[in-house]
Amino acid sequence: MTRETLQQAYNEIKDQVHRTPVLQSRLLNDKAKAALFFKCENFQKMGAFKMRGALHAIQKLNKEQKQKGVLTHSSGNFAQALSLAAKNLGVRAHIVMPDNAPQVKKEAVSSYDGNIYFSQSSANAREQKSEELLRQFGYSFIHPSNDIHVILGNATAAIELLEEIPDLDILITPVGGGGLIAGTALAGHFFGKTSIKIMGAEPKNVDDAYRSLQLGSIQKNNNTATIADGLRTHLGDVNFPIIQEYVSLILRVEEKDILSAMQLVWERMKIVIEPSSAVAVAAVLQHQEHFKNKKVGIIISGGNVDLSALPF
Amino acid sequence: MTRETLQQAYNEIKDQVHRTPVLQSRLLNDKAKAALFFKCENFQKMGAFKMRGALHAIQKLNKEQKQKGVLTHSSGNFAQALSLAAKNLGVRAHIVMPDNAPQVKKEAVSSYDGNIYFSQSSANAREQKSEELLRQFGYSFIHPSNDIHVILGNATAAIELLEEIPDLDILITPVGGGGLIAGTALAGHFFGKTSIKIMGAEPKNVDDAYRSLQLGSIQKNNNTATIADGLRTHLGDVNFPIIQEYVSLILRVEEKDILSAMQLVWERMKIVIEPSSAVAVAAVLQHQEHFKNKKVGIIISGGNVDLSALPF
């Protein structure tokens, strides 16, 4: 892995993604006692950074693989990202979804021409259904977070941020499956200054990444009781070694602090961010000892929120 | 009134305001069958275009007037705008507010160092209290919308928009007290192309401006049953003649269409806009016959919303 590997990933997708804005807020700077730079992937196509990884992973396939199509299992942002990325590249995307997935998620995938296969809702049933389809049709499987080309695509958000603010002291992202923080860590290492620190933010209720780094092996969550629905998953064998090498700290936050960070950003910055993104903002506000007087890049991972089910 | 009058107003405030972004949305363009350009004053200081008018009106005062301070009566965005503008210019702002105004509004004014005087909640009581204070302390009264310097300040949002998109066919704004549409109309006339049309958007439930243009005299609203709380007021003798001369059409929209336009913008554009702004978006979506294949500038007036009282 070199700087050139990342630069090439960026060159391959940059014409297919929005260069999202980097926003600042004086009020949030005052509250955090730091200079915060929000990389707004909520303004990315389909509303999340996952578009970057999905695009890059599809582009790395050969012609025959592209003709056969791609498959993932996800009911969240990656299902939409893979569907839209595939559509934009003239490839067919197939999504395995639990049959009890919310109607709004099914419609989102369908609106991007993703082809849905239903499975029962257990992880086992989902994986079995996927394997069956892969055997039968020869689709290429693309994991939402544990795939090196997805990780390299995700890295491009931080590459853009570092192009604008080269001297960041800290980069922080929310941590779910580990694909965003792994990519961001690589970008920080190869494009940031030598002393840059990479941090992750996790809800205390699903602190699998925190425990994984402590124990040196991938841990899972026994419950999924967090509003940050994008962060309930666990790390994988591709991204965990990267995280072990380059991430210095995982900060954990309470549910109430996630909510108030989300409300603060909506009310004062006038942008819609999803709960998972608010986890990173909450970490910066709640653990000020790590950020005081620093230049901090925060990856706002997405803005897909169901307004009919708001927690305020 | 000349182009130079407006240019001078812009020169006087441009270092004190944010140059807000102009956003586009492919999805909304498709829905409207038009090219929409959103001038995002929700990202303006204190969250609304009113900062522009307040700054300009204070700057036009002489030194003695500035020393004595300014006064307005408002419980909405203009109270905050005048407080912050005054603070930034080293002037003291005094705000007459009904004693039953929501706590959140009192706190917003106080946070910008505005000095609050309470009155009873009727319009009469408010005006009597204001006159008493003006006599006693010699403050300069600044009306939220019926003041030519406020109007000229408001015009600068559309001046910026026309600098970026000079060939707009239509400019549309929400209409409340008339200060935004009057300023926008002047900007369109002096900075837009010759054929530019200026339109206003109003909730059907408070369509005083629509009726005023039809009848040729200022009409009031008998009820104020709209979610667009910034649009319940009526026009004034300073802005009405400007509106009569330059505004070609007022479009009216139903409450349900205001709500769905607001939800659409939040969900798809990931920006927080207030209900009054959604009125203009709803007008473009509901009255497509006026906008088809046109380049349409929409002034997104503000983004101040109480998240604890959302209508979704």
Side-chain angles (χ1 to χ4, degrees), chain A residues 202-242:
Chain A
E202 248 185 343
K204 207 166 268 180
N205 288 355
V206 293
D207 64 351
D208 58 289
Y210 174 85
R211 289 180 283 112
S212 299
L213 273 189
Q214 283 211 316
L215 298 172
S217 64
I218 295 173
Q219 304 297 308
K220 301 190 177 179
N221 296 303
N222 291 322
N223 79 75
T224 56
T226 176
I227 186 184
D229 54 348
L231 307 186
R232 291 170 185 156
T233 47
H234 54 81
L235 306 179
D237 60 349
V238 177
N239 58 52
F240 185 50
I242 300 172

Short mmCIF file of all heavy atoms in Angstrom, two decimals, chain A residues 202-242:
data_model
loop_
_atom_site.label_atom_id
_atom_site.label_comp_id
_atom_site.label_asym_id
_atom_site.label_seq_id
_atom_site.Cartn_x
_atom_site.Cartn_y
_atom_site.Cartn_z
N GLU A 202 -17.57 5.86 18.73
CA GLU A 202 -18.52 4.75 18.81
C GLU A 202 -19.56 5.00 19.90
O GLU A 202 -19.22 5.54 20.95
CB GLU A 202 -17.76 3.48 19.22
CG GLU A 202 -17.70 2.45 18.13
CD GLU A 202 -17.06 1.16 18.61
OE1 GLU A 202 -16.39 1.14 19.66
OE2 GLU A 202 -17.25 0.16 17.91
N PRO A 203 -20.79 4.59 19.69
CA PRO A 203 -21.75 4.61 20.80
C PRO A 203 -21.28 3.63 21.87
O PRO A 203 -20.84 2.53 21.55
CB PRO A 203 -23.06 4.12 20.16
CG PRO A 203 -22.86 4.24 18.68
CD PRO A 203 -21.39 4.06 18.45
N LYS A 204 -21.40 4.03 23.13
CA LYS A 204 -20.97 3.15 24.22
C LYS A 204 -21.72 1.81 24.18
O LYS A 204 -21.17 0.76 24.52
CB LYS A 204 -21.20 3.85 25.57
CG LYS A 204 -20.25 3.38 26.65
CD LYS A 204 -20.25 4.31 27.86
CE LYS A 204 -19.19 5.40 27.77
NZ LYS A 204 -19.18 6.31 28.94
N ASN A 205 -22.98 1.87 23.70
CA ASN A 205 -23.79 0.65 23.67
C ASN A 205 -23.35 -0.38 22.63
O ASN A 205 -23.75 -1.54 22.71
CB ASN A 205 -25.26 1.01 23.40
CG ASN A 205 -25.91 1.68 24.59
OD1 ASN A 205 -25.29 1.79 25.66
ND2 ASN A 205 -27.15 2.11 24.43
N VAL A 206 -22.56 0.05 21.64
CA VAL A 206 -22.08 -0.91 20.62
C VAL A 206 -20.59 -0.65 20.41
O VAL A 206 -20.14 -0.32 19.32
CB VAL A 206 -22.86 -0.79 19.28
CG1 VAL A 206 -24.30 -1.24 19.47
CG2 VAL A 206 -22.83 0.62 18.73
N ASP A 207 -19.83 -0.84 21.49
CA ASP A 207 -18.42 -0.44 21.47
C ASP A 207 -17.49 -1.59 21.06
O ASP A 207 -16.40 -1.75 21.59
CB ASP A 207 -18.02 0.11 22.83
CG ASP A 207 -18.10 -0.92 23.94
OD1 ASP A 207 -18.63 -2.02 23.69
OD2 ASP A 207 -17.60 -0.63 25.05
N ASP A 208 -17.93 -2.34 20.06
CA ASP A 208 -17.14 -3.50 19.61
C ASP A 208 -15.74 -3.12 19.12
O ASP A 208 -14.78 -3.83 19.37
CB ASP A 208 -17.88 -4.25 18.50
CG ASP A 208 -18.16 -3.34 17.31
OD1 ASP A 208 -19.02 -2.45 17.46
OD2 ASP A 208 -17.50 -3.49 16.26
N ALA A 209 -15.61 -1.98 18.45
CA ALA A 209 -14.29 -1.61 17.91
C ALA A 209 -13.35 -1.21 19.06
O ALA A 209 -12.17 -1.56 19.06
CB ALA A 209 -14.43 -0.45 16.92
N TYR A 210 -13.89 -0.51 20.05
CA TYR A 210 -13.12 -0.15 21.24
C TYR A 210 -12.56 -1.41 21.90
O TYR A 210 -11.37 -1.52 22.19
CB TYR A 210 -14.03 0.63 22.20
CG TYR A 210 -13.40 0.96 23.53
CD1 TYR A 210 -12.61 2.08 23.68
CD2 TYR A 210 -13.62 0.14 24.64
CE1 TYR A 210 -12.04 2.39 24.90
CE2 TYR A 210 -13.06 0.44 25.87
CZ TYR A 210 -12.26 1.57 26.00
OH TYR A 210 -11.70 1.87 27.21
N ARG A 211 -13.44 -2.40 22.09
CA ARG A 211 -13.01 -3.64 22.75
C ARG A 211 -12.08 -4.45 21.85
O ARG A 211 -11.13 -5.07 22.32
CB ARG A 211 -14.24 -4.46 23.15
CG ARG A 211 -15.02 -3.83 24.32
CD ARG A 211 -16.24 -4.68 24.71
NE ARG A 211 -17.35 -4.52 23.79
CZ ARG A 211 -17.81 -5.47 22.98
NH1 ARG A 211 -17.24 -6.66 22.98
NH2 ARG A 211 -18.81 -5.24 22.16
N SER A 212 -12.32 -4.39 20.55
CA SER A 212 -11.46 -5.13 19.62
C SER A 212 -10.03 -4.62 19.69
O SER A 212 -9.07 -5.41 19.73
CB SER A 212 -11.98 -4.99 18.18
OG SER A 212 -13.29 -5.51 18.07
N LEU A 213 -9.87 -3.29 19.73
CA LEU A 213 -8.52 -2.73 19.80
C LEU A 213 -7.87 -3.08 21.14
O LEU A 213 -6.67 -3.36 21.20
CB LEU A 213 -8.56 -1.21 19.62
CG LEU A 213 -8.51 -0.71 18.17
CD1 LEU A 213 -8.33 0.80 18.14
CD2 LEU A 213 -7.40 -1.39 17.37
N GLN A 214 -8.65 -3.05 22.21
CA GLN A 214 -8.10 -3.39 23.53
C GLN A 214 -7.64 -4.83 23.61
O GLN A 214 -6.58 -5.15 24.14
CB GLN A 214 -9.16 -3.15 24.60
CG GLN A 214 -9.34 -1.69 24.95
CD GLN A 214 -9.74 -1.52 26.39
OE1 GLN A 214 -10.59 -2.26 26.88
NE2 GLN A 214 -9.13 -0.56 27.07
N LEU A 215 -8.48 -5.73 23.06
CA LEU A 215 -8.21 -7.17 23.22
C LEU A 215 -7.37 -7.74 22.08
O LEU A 215 -6.87 -8.86 22.17
CB LEU A 215 -9.54 -7.93 23.32
CG LEU A 215 -10.39 -7.53 24.54
CD1 LEU A 215 -11.77 -8.18 24.48
CD2 LEU A 215 -9.67 -7.95 25.84
N GLY A 216 -7.24 -6.98 20.98
CA GLY A 216 -6.41 -7.46 19.88
C GLY A 216 -7.08 -8.50 19.00
O GLY A 216 -6.43 -9.17 18.21
N SER A 217 -8.40 -8.63 19.13
CA SER A 217 -9.14 -9.52 18.22
C SER A 217 -10.54 -8.94 18.00
O SER A 217 -11.04 -8.20 18.84
CB SER A 217 -9.24 -10.93 18.81
OG SER A 217 -9.99 -10.89 20.01
N ILE A 218 -11.14 -9.31 16.90
CA ILE A 218 -12.43 -8.71 16.53
C ILE A 218 -13.53 -9.15 17.49
O ILE A 218 -13.78 -10.35 17.66
CB ILE A 218 -12.80 -9.10 15.09
CG1 ILE A 218 -11.78 -8.49 14.11
CG2 ILE A 218 -14.22 -8.61 14.75
CD1 ILE A 218 -11.94 -8.94 12.67
N GLN A 219 -14.15 -8.17 18.13
CA GLN A 219 -15.24 -8.42 19.07
C GLN A 219 -16.57 -8.06 18.41
O GLN A 219 -16.62 -7.27 17.48
CB GLN A 219 -15.05 -7.56 20.34
CG GLN A 219 -13.72 -7.78 21.03
CD GLN A 219 -13.55 -9.20 21.54
OE1 GLN A 219 -14.40 -9.71 22.25
NE2 GLN A 219 -12.47 -9.85 21.14
N LYS A 220 -17.64 -8.65 18.92
CA LYS A 220 -18.97 -8.33 18.40
C LYS A 220 -19.81 -7.62 19.46
O LYS A 220 -19.39 -7.50 20.61
CB LYS A 220 -19.66 -9.61 17.91
CG LYS A 220 -18.83 -10.29 16.81
CD LYS A 220 -19.55 -11.41 16.12
CE LYS A 220 -18.65 -11.96 14.99
NZ LYS A 220 -19.24 -13.07 14.27
N ASN A 221 -21.00 -7.18 19.07
CA ASN A 221 -21.90 -6.53 20.01
C ASN A 221 -22.98 -7.49 20.44
O ASN A 221 -23.59 -8.15 19.60
CB ASN A 221 -22.55 -5.31 19.36
CG ASN A 221 -21.52 -4.25 19.02
OD1 ASN A 221 -20.79 -3.78 19.89
ND2 ASN A 221 -21.44 -3.89 17.74
N ASN A 222 -23.23 -7.56 21.74
CA ASN A 222 -24.28 -8.44 22.22
C ASN A 222 -25.65 -7.81 22.08
O ASN A 222 -26.66 -8.49 21.99
CB ASN A 222 -24.04 -8.81 23.69
CG ASN A 222 -22.82 -9.70 23.81
OD1 ASN A 222 -22.60 -10.56 22.96
ND2 ASN A 222 -22.02 -9.48 24.84
N ASN A 223 -25.69 -6.49 22.07
CA ASN A 223 -26.97 -5.85 21.77
C ASN A 223 -26.74 -4.73 20.78
O ASN A 223 -25.60 -4.35 20.51
CB ASN A 223 -27.66 -5.37 23.04
CG ASN A 223 -27.08 -4.06 23.54
OD1 ASN A 223 -27.34 -3.00 22.96
ND2 ASN A 223 -26.28 -4.13 24.59
N THR A 224 -27.80 -4.22 20.22
CA THR A 224 -27.67 -3.18 19.19
C THR A 224 -28.50 -1.96 19.56
O THR A 224 -29.09 -1.31 18.71
CB THR A 224 -28.13 -3.72 17.82
OG1 THR A 224 -29.48 -4.20 17.97
CG2 THR A 224 -27.24 -4.84 17.33
N ALA A 225 -28.55 -1.65 20.86
CA ALA A 225 -29.43 -0.59 21.34
C ALA A 225 -28.79 0.79 21.17
O ALA A 225 -28.38 1.43 22.13
CB ALA A 225 -29.77 -0.83 22.81
N THR A 226 -28.72 1.24 19.93
CA THR A 226 -28.24 2.60 19.69
C THR A 226 -29.06 3.24 18.59
O THR A 226 -29.55 2.54 17.68
CB THR A 226 -26.75 2.62 19.29
OG1 THR A 226 -26.40 3.99 18.99
CG2 THR A 226 -26.49 1.77 18.05
N ILE A 227 -29.22 4.55 18.70
CA ILE A 227 -29.91 5.27 17.63
C ILE A 227 -29.06 5.32 16.38
O ILE A 227 -29.57 5.50 15.27
CB ILE A 227 -30.27 6.70 18.10
CG1 ILE A 227 -31.11 7.38 17.03
CG2 ILE A 227 -29.03 7.50 18.43
CD1 ILE A 227 -31.45 8.81 17.31
N ALA A 228 -27.74 5.12 16.53
CA ALA A 228 -26.84 5.19 15.37
C ALA A 228 -26.88 3.86 14.64
O ALA A 228 -25.98 3.02 14.75
CB ALA A 228 -25.42 5.54 15.84
N ASP A 229 -27.92 3.68 13.82
CA ASP A 229 -28.19 2.36 13.25
C ASP A 229 -27.12 1.91 12.27
O ASP A 229 -27.00 0.73 11.97
CB ASP A 229 -29.58 2.31 12.61
CG ASP A 229 -29.77 3.42 11.59
OD1 ASP A 229 -28.93 4.34 11.55
OD2 ASP A 229 -30.75 3.37 10.83
N GLY A 230 -26.30 2.85 11.78
CA GLY A 230 -25.24 2.47 10.86
C GLY A 230 -24.02 1.88 11.56
O GLY A 230 -23.10 1.40 10.90
N LEU A 231 -24.01 1.92 12.90
CA LEU A 231 -22.79 1.53 13.63
C LEU A 231 -22.95 0.24 14.43
O LEU A 231 -22.14 -0.06 15.30
CB LEU A 231 -22.36 2.67 14.55
CG LEU A 231 -22.21 4.05 13.90
CD1 LEU A 231 -21.64 5.05 14.89
CD2 LEU A 231 -21.33 3.98 12.66
N ARG A 232 -23.98 -0.53 14.13
CA ARG A 232 -24.25 -1.74 14.93
C ARG A 232 -23.40 -2.93 14.50
O ARG A 232 -23.33 -3.92 15.22
CB ARG A 232 -25.73 -2.10 14.82
CG ARG A 232 -26.63 -1.08 15.52
CD ARG A 232 -28.11 -1.31 15.20
NE ARG A 232 -28.91 -0.24 15.78
CZ ARG A 232 -30.12 0.11 15.32
NH1 ARG A 232 -30.64 -0.51 14.28
NH2 ARG A 232 -30.78 1.09 15.89
N THR A 233 -22.79 -2.84 13.34
CA THR A 233 -22.01 -3.97 12.81
C THR A 233 -20.62 -4.01 13.44
O THR A 233 -20.24 -3.13 14.22
CB THR A 233 -21.88 -3.83 11.29
OG1 THR A 233 -21.50 -2.48 11.00
CG2 THR A 233 -23.20 -4.13 10.60
N HIS A 234 -19.86 -5.04 13.11
CA HIS A 234 -18.53 -5.20 13.71
C HIS A 234 -17.43 -5.17 12.64
O HIS A 234 -17.72 -5.23 11.43
CB HIS A 234 -18.47 -6.50 14.52
CG HIS A 234 -18.88 -7.70 13.72
ND1 HIS A 234 -18.04 -8.33 12.86
CD2 HIS A 234 -20.07 -8.36 13.64
CE1 HIS A 234 -18.67 -9.34 12.29
NE2 HIS A 234 -19.91 -9.37 12.73
N LEU A 235 -16.20 -5.09 13.08
CA LEU A 235 -15.05 -4.99 12.16
C LEU A 235 -14.85 -6.31 11.42
O LEU A 235 -15.45 -7.34 11.77
CB LEU A 235 -13.79 -4.63 12.95
CG LEU A 235 -13.90 -3.38 13.83
CD1 LEU A 235 -12.59 -3.14 14.58
CD2 LEU A 235 -14.28 -2.15 12.99
N GLY A 236 -13.98 -6.27 10.40
CA GLY A 236 -13.70 -7.48 9.62
C GLY A 236 -12.21 -7.70 9.46
O GLY A 236 -11.40 -6.82 9.80
N ASP A 237 -11.84 -8.85 8.92
CA ASP A 237 -10.42 -9.22 8.88
C ASP A 237 -9.60 -8.39 7.90
O ASP A 237 -8.37 -8.41 7.96
CB ASP A 237 -10.26 -10.72 8.60
CG ASP A 237 -10.87 -11.10 7.25
OD1 ASP A 237 -11.59 -10.27 6.66
OD2 ASP A 237 -10.63 -12.23 6.80
N VAL A 238 -10.27 -7.69 6.98
CA VAL A 238 -9.52 -6.82 6.05
C VAL A 238 -9.24 -5.46 6.70
O VAL A 238 -8.14 -4.93 6.63
CB VAL A 238 -10.29 -6.63 4.72
CG1 VAL A 238 -9.53 -5.67 3.79
CG2 VAL A 238 -10.51 -7.97 4.03
N ASN A 239 -10.25 -4.90 7.35
CA ASN A 239 -10.05 -3.55 7.89
C ASN A 239 -9.42 -3.53 9.29
O ASN A 239 -8.77 -2.56 9.66
CB ASN A 239 -11.35 -2.72 7.85
CG ASN A 239 -12.50 -3.37 8.62
OD1 ASN A 239 -12.34 -3.73 9.78
ND2 ASN A 239 -13.66 -3.48 7.97
N PHE A 240 -9.57 -4.63 10.05
CA PHE A 240 -9.06 -4.61 11.43
C PHE A 240 -7.53 -4.40 11.50
O PHE A 240 -7.06 -3.57 12.31
CB PHE A 240 -9.48 -5.89 12.18
CG PHE A 240 -9.11 -5.89 13.62
CD1 PHE A 240 -9.43 -4.81 14.46
CD2 PHE A 240 -8.43 -6.97 14.19
CE1 PHE A 240 -9.08 -4.81 15.80
CE2 PHE A 240 -8.08 -6.98 15.54
CZ PHE A 240 -8.40 -5.89 16.34
N PRO A 241 -6.74 -5.08 10.67
CA PRO A 241 -5.28 -4.83 10.74
C PRO A 241 -4.92 -3.38 10.42
O PRO A 241 -3.98 -2.83 11.01
CB PRO A 241 -4.72 -5.78 9.67
CG PRO A 241 -5.77 -6.81 9.45
CD PRO A 241 -7.08 -6.15 9.73
N ILE A 242 -5.64 -2.78 9.49
CA ILE A 242 -5.37 -1.36 9.16
C ILE A 242 -5.70 -0.49 10.36
O ILE A 242 -4.95 0.42 10.73
CB ILE A 242 -6.23 -0.94 7.93
CG1 ILE A 242 -5.88 -1.81 6.71
CG2 ILE A 242 -6.03 0.54 7.63
CD1 ILE A 242 -6.80 -1.58 5.51
#
